[in-house]
Amino acid sequence: MAGLVNTDWKLRENTIKHRTDEYPSKELVVRRGQAFLISLTSRGALPAADKLTFTVETGSTCALQAETRVAFGITSTPSRRSWSAVQTSAGYGSLSVSILSPVDAAIGRYQLSIKTDTSRSTLPSSLGTFVLLFNPWMPERLEIGEHWHDAALPGQREVLSQYLLVIHLSEDDVFMANEAERKEYVLSEFGVIFCNNGKTLLPWNYGQFEDGILDICLSMLDMGLKYHKDSTAGVSQLSDPIHIGRVLSAMINCNDGDRGVLFGCWKACRDGKDPGSWSGSVEILRQWESSGFEPVRYGQCWVFAGVLTTVLRCIGIPTRIISNFSSGCDKNENLILEPSESTWNFHVWNECWFARPDLGCMYNGWQVLDATPQGRSTTEKVECGPASVKAIKEGDVDLPYDTAFVFSEVNADIEGSLDTKSIGQNISTKAVDSNDRLDVTDNYKYKEGSVKEREVFAKACAKLNLKTNHSESARSLREAAKPSVLGKIKVKSPLEIGKDVHLVLRLTNLGSTTEYLTPNMAAWSINNTGKPIHEIWKASILVTLGPKEEKEFPINISYAKYKQYLLIDNLIKVAASWSKKEGGNVNRVIILEKPSVTIKVLGEAKVGKEVKVVVTIDNCFDEELKDGVLKAEGSGLLEKTFKKNVPPLNPQDSYQVQFKFFPRKSGTKYLLVNFSCNKFKDSVTYQDINVVD
């Protein structure tokens, strides 16, 4: 449009109202279904409002741009179903307009253009670009800010009062009613992931508002839609959280040749970084982008889930991380774990919050997405979900997507075993507003062993046309076969790397006759999938147990025995077997804790002011500690990862690393410190820091 001088995107006003002010971009970022204001200025008089036409379009291809292109004029009332604009003020050479996107608009980067029907040119003039995201705040009422009302010309205020101050709109599919949950699951850049049966916290820096992350997420979405396009989806693929969640769960791994973000590794990872060395998503995503979108080496389940959380929160979908202990991996989806299938010590996936219009409103709410490459989905791609958590609990395993697989992760039975209860224990997530563990097992299944839980299991089998003989025979065997000797492995001293492991095998004779046993005992290092890697210890003993007698036998595994065989998960499986009969064996997986470092913040933390931190490393080993490397990161605190090599430390010596940073944002921020050496890898500690303006 000839004579147009400037477009004022009202960045501060719009981003505060849209809760997008944390994005560092100079480009406007707004949420769909919510109005935003722009002001246009010209060297001369602007055409009348009814002579102006705006155009928006998005998409990485000409076809998508054409499909998403919408032209709309200035009207007296905004539309609920399409893009619309309402004039809020006008003067000589100036015009302010409130633009409203539909609540189901495609998300992404939009081009905004303007054209007048008095112009000789047939082409619209570009006003610039803006980014549109999902809107979990999408209210039932849309309120136009009072400052916009006051800026209107006197003759227009009645129109604004009548039509703009309160507009009733439908909800975004990702709408979440609770404000505390919205802050936690969309705006929080820090979280903890639960390991070791829920007793150990792994801190994670999501960093969705760090510089460049939004652009990387939009690039990932464009790439994913190209590689995983549903030809029948049309423009809806850009607006539907179901489809977008599915695409992104595939893009976080690289198993489909789609140039996804991460390679997985569950063994010695010699040509890349150990999965445990990551403390957050920012470094991974930046490395992926800077390499020309070459997959980053390496990740395991918590890394895949951490990165997916960052991407989904970044584009506005409420997301949290779930840890499932004793997690089944039922690849043939018959709800039974056979000997060839594994039980993971723990597995981590994502839950995302959105509606399921494809299934019905009872299945709205939390949906499982899993980016870890465990197998191919029903689409033959390496992706998983979204599977409704409600559908999983109710045994509706025939519903899309991958519901039967997730059902087995939390509630499969074990072939040839009386045990129908061990799969899916202590299912956990971070609580809102704290780093405490929230147990969500009841969201996934009814109480183990209850009549209702067994009814749901039978229902799930029927949905998949599977026989339920296993479950029935297991129950009858459990009632008939009571083992004469019970065993249990107990921990006698703290489980720490560098220390000997002290356990006891407790055997109890339940019968009225003497039992003569020869328990064979062994210990292996295992990976997170439960696969034995190295045998590190074994022994046999002769045991005589009188009627009703109980005895304990020590199991001692020296540090020298296990130190060279530990993997990144620090897992050891200890087992004892004294009979081939059911119940004639016992096993336990133990996790050795890593020594931690101490973080001390010196003085008050203020935005833009220098903050000094001292990290203390203690060598608690009886041997020299070498090859030490310390790394630190934190959203809003450090622009990039701090790294420092640590000199060798003699036994019982200490070393201090001091560094500084300049906080960029106020509020509670988290500093994450990762320390590795020749004795252990990736001990991660965090410190919360209150940053004031």
Side-chain angles (χ1 to χ4, degrees):
M1 186 171 64
L4 188 63
V5 174
N6 183 55
T7 304
D8 183 356
W9 293 93
K10 304 290 183 183
L11 287 177
R12 179 168 174 76
E13 298 169 60
N14 285 322
T15 57
I16 289 175
K17 187 171 182 64
H18 285 250
R19 299 167 180 86
T20 55
D21 50 313
E22 293 282 348
Y23 295 97
S25 172
K26 295 180 180 179
E27 184 179 33
L28 179 63
V29 181
V30 291
R31 300 189 186 277
R32 67 184 189 178
Q34 190 171 348
F36 62 92
L37 184 71
I38 64 169
S39 293
L40 309 176
T41 57
S42 175
R43 295 187 182 91
L46 287 167
D50 61 358
K51 303 295 184 182
L52 298 175
T53 301
F54 292 96
T55 303
V56 291
E57 59 187 51
T58 188
S60 58
T61 66
C62 293
L64 279 177
Q65 290 165 8
E67 192 174 0
T68 60
R69 188 175 299 129
V70 177
F72 55 96
I74 295 177
T75 61
S76 59
T77 60
S79 170
R80 302 180 184 183
R81 298 179 177 85
S82 62
W83 288 86
S84 59
V86 174
Q87 178 180 313
T88 60
S89 68
Y92 182 81
S94 66
L95 175 68
S96 292
V97 178
S98 173
I99 296 177
L100 178 64
S101 63
V103 73
D104 60 351
I107 68 163
R109 176 169 281 109
Y110 277 82
Q111 177 76 40
L112 178 64
S113 304
I114 190 171
K115 185 179 182 296
T116 173
D117 61 11
T118 63
S119 172
R120 295 178 181 178
S121 173
T122 59
L123 298 175
S125 300
S126 174
L127 299 179
T129 61
F130 65 94
V131 175
L132 190 69
L133 304 177
F134 287 106
N135 193 353
W137 283 268
M138 182 59 246
E140 295 179 358
R141 306 189 335 160
L142 175 67
E143 298 183 359
I144 304 298
E146 293 181 1
H147 57 290
W148 294 358
H149 173 265
D150 294 340
L153 297 177
Q156 299 167 325
R157 287 178 183 163
E158 292 78 8
V159 175
L160 286 171
S161 297
Q162 184 177 358
Y163 296 110
L164 297 184
L165 286 178
V166 179
I167 304 167
H168 294 275
L169 293 172
S170 59
E171 296 173 352
D172 193 309
D173 278 349
V174 304
F175 173 70
M176 177 174 269
N178 186 284
E179 176 64 10
E181 291 181 344
R182 290 189 296 240
K183 289 181 177 178
E184 179 73 45
Y185 301 135
V186 181
L187 300 182
S188 176
E189 294 188 87
F190 172 82
V192 293
I193 303 169
F194 291 93
C195 312
N196 191 10
N197 213 26
K199 299 175 183 178
T200 302
L201 303 183
L202 176 66
W204 195 266
N205 176 34
Y206 298 123
Q208 66 267 32
F209 300 123
E210 287 295 283
D211 190 37
I213 298 302
L214 176 58
D215 285 339
I216 294 172
C217 294
L218 293 177
S219 296
M220 184 189 306
L221 190 55
D222 285 340
M223 293 172 63
L225 291 172
K226 181 171 71 173
Y227 281 100
H228 301 276
K229 184 176 181 181
D230 178 354
S231 59
T232 65
V235 69
S236 66
Q237 65 185 347
L238 293 167
S239 60
D240 181 10
I242 300 172
H243 185 76
I244 286 178
R246 195 155 175 77
V247 166
L248 291 176
S249 79
M251 282 300 297
I252 299 302
N253 68 69
C254 62
N255 289 57
D256 289 313
D258 51 10
R259 304 180 72 189
V261 178
L262 280 160
F263 277 106
C265 180
W266 284 265
K267 54 184 180 181
C269 308
R270 294 187 175 89
D271 56 344
K273 295 183 68 171
D274 280 340
S277 68
W278 306 109
S279 302
S281 308
V282 176
E283 186 178 356
I284 294 171
L285 290 170
R286 285 176 175 168
Q287 181 177 326
W288 180 62
E289 190 265 348
S290 65
S291 69
F293 303 108
E294 290 296 321
V296 176
R297 301 170 186 264
Y298 287 103
Q300 286 188 14
C301 59
W302 68 91
V303 184
F304 289 100
V307 175
L308 184 55
T309 300
T310 298
V311 177
L312 292 168
R313 288 187 183 182
C314 188
I315 63 175
I317 299 178
T319 306
R320 64 185 184 182
I321 282 183
I322 300 294
S323 298
N324 178 40
F325 298 92
S326 189
S327 185
C329 187
D330 175 27
K331 293 192 175 182
N332 61 8
E333 295 187 12
N334 65 353
L335 311 187
I336 303 296
L337 295 180
E338 289 132 356
S340 61
E341 295 172 322
S342 59
T343 300
W344 293 30
N345 177 54
F346 74 99
H347 183 48
V348 178
W349 59 69
N350 297 91
E351 281 183 358
C352 309
W353 181 274
F354 48 79
R356 291 301 299 268
D358 58 326
L359 304 181
C361 61
M362 75 168 288
Y363 300 104
N364 291 352
W366 290 117
Q367 315 290 327
V368 171
L369 286 175
D370 192 348
T372 302
Q374 296 184 84
R376 296 200 174 273
S377 176
T378 52
T379 60
E380 293 303 314
K381 297 184 176 69
V382 182
E383 58 193 8
C384 182
S388 164
V389 173
K390 181 68 173 177
I392 295 164
K393 181 171 183 176
E394 298 300 330
D396 295 324
V397 294
D398 55 329
L399 297 180
Y401 295 92
D402 307 302
T403 308
F405 182 79
V406 183
F407 182 94
S408 291
E409 289 185 301
V410 300
N411 207 18
D413 285 352
I414 300 173
E415 185 178 55
S417 172
L418 303 183
D419 180 10
T420 63
K421 299 181 180 181
S422 65
I423 299 299
Q425 298 292 316
N426 300 324
I427 306 175
S428 307
T429 191
K430 176 186 177 298
V432 174
D433 289 333
S434 82
N435 294 327
D436 294 338
R437 186 181 78 88
L438 176 66
D439 193 292
V440 294
T441 307
D442 289 345
N443 292 357
Y444 281 85
K445 56 184 177 180
Y446 293 94
K447 185 178 179 181
E448 281 285 8
S450 67
V451 172
K452 182 65 174 178
E453 183 266 334
R454 288 289 91 188
E455 287 177 351
V456 168
F457 188 88
K459 173 186 175 182
C461 290
K463 291 271 187 179
L464 299 177
N465 296 316
L466 301 172
K467 296 180 180 179
T468 58
N469 293 347
H470 166 81
S471 180
E472 295 168 358
S473 62
R475 182 163 55 250
S476 61
L477 281 171
R478 187 166 53 250
E479 293 171 354
K482 294 183 179 179
S484 58
V485 176
L486 285 181
K488 187 174 184 179
I489 296 174
K490 298 186 65 178
V491 176
K492 294 298 288 185
S493 63
L495 300 172
E496 300 173 355
I497 294 178
K499 308 294 184 182
D500 294 347
V501 173
H502 298 293
L503 312 170
V504 294
L505 171 64
R506 176 185 292 172
L507 296 175
T508 305
N509 185 357
L510 303 177
S512 56
T513 60
T514 300
E515 294 282 348
Y516 301 93
L517 312 173
T518 307
N520 296 307
M521 300 176 289
W524 304 266
S525 62
I526 62 173
N527 62 20
N528 188 40
T529 68
K531 180 181 179 181
I533 304 300
H534 297 286
E535 185 179 79
I536 58 178
W537 172 87
K538 64 179 180 179
S540 295
I541 54 175
L542 298 175
V543 175
T544 300
L545 286 176
K548 310 298 182 181
E549 186 178 14
E550 180 177 276
K551 289 183 179 179
E552 290 187 347
F553 306 93
I555 299 175
N556 298 316
I557 307 171
S558 68
Y559 173 54
K561 287 276 189 183
Y562 71 77
K563 66 178 181 180
Q564 62 180 319
Y565 297 123
L566 277 185
L567 303 178
I568 62 171
D569 302 302
N570 302 319
L571 300 174
I572 295 176
K573 182 175 183 178
V574 182
S577 175
W578 54 91
S579 172
K580 293 182 179 180
K581 296 181 180 179
E582 181 70 31
N585 58 79
V586 65
N587 66 77
R588 179 167 182 167
V589 175
I590 61 173
I591 304 179
L592 301 182
E593 295 292 334
K594 306 169 188 176
S596 60
V597 300
T598 303
I599 305 171
K600 184 175 183 181
V601 180
L602 306 180
E604 186 179 40
K606 293 184 177 181
V607 173
K609 302 295 183 181
E610 179 183 284
V611 178
K612 292 182 178 179
V613 175
V614 174
V615 179
T616 303
I617 303 160
D618 297 315
N619 182 4
C620 56
F621 293 84
D622 295 327
E623 303 172 4
E624 184 182 51
L625 187 153
K626 300 182 294 184
D627 306 322
V629 178
L630 183 141
K631 298 186 298 180
E633 64 177 284
S635 291
L637 301 175
L638 292 152
E639 291 188 4
K640 60 181 182 179
T641 302
F642 169 83
K643 185 176 180 179
K644 172 76 173 180
N645 292 327
V646 175
L649 278 175
N650 291 323
Q652 311 308 314
D653 277 0
S654 297
Y655 183 79
Q656 291 188 334
V657 176
Q658 182 170 310
F659 60 94
K660 60 186 179 181
F661 57 84
F662 296 82
R664 306 188 307 279
K665 300 176 184 178
S666 61
T668 301
K669 305 300 175 186
Y670 292 86
L671 181 67
L672 284 72
V673 174
N674 181 312
F675 179 68
S676 293
C677 61
N678 63 320
K679 299 299 181 185
F680 57 88
K681 301 293 183 185
D682 307 306
S683 173
V684 184
T685 309
Y686 71 94
Q687 176 67 51
D688 58 300
I689 300 174
N690 183 35
V691 181
V692 298
D693 288 319

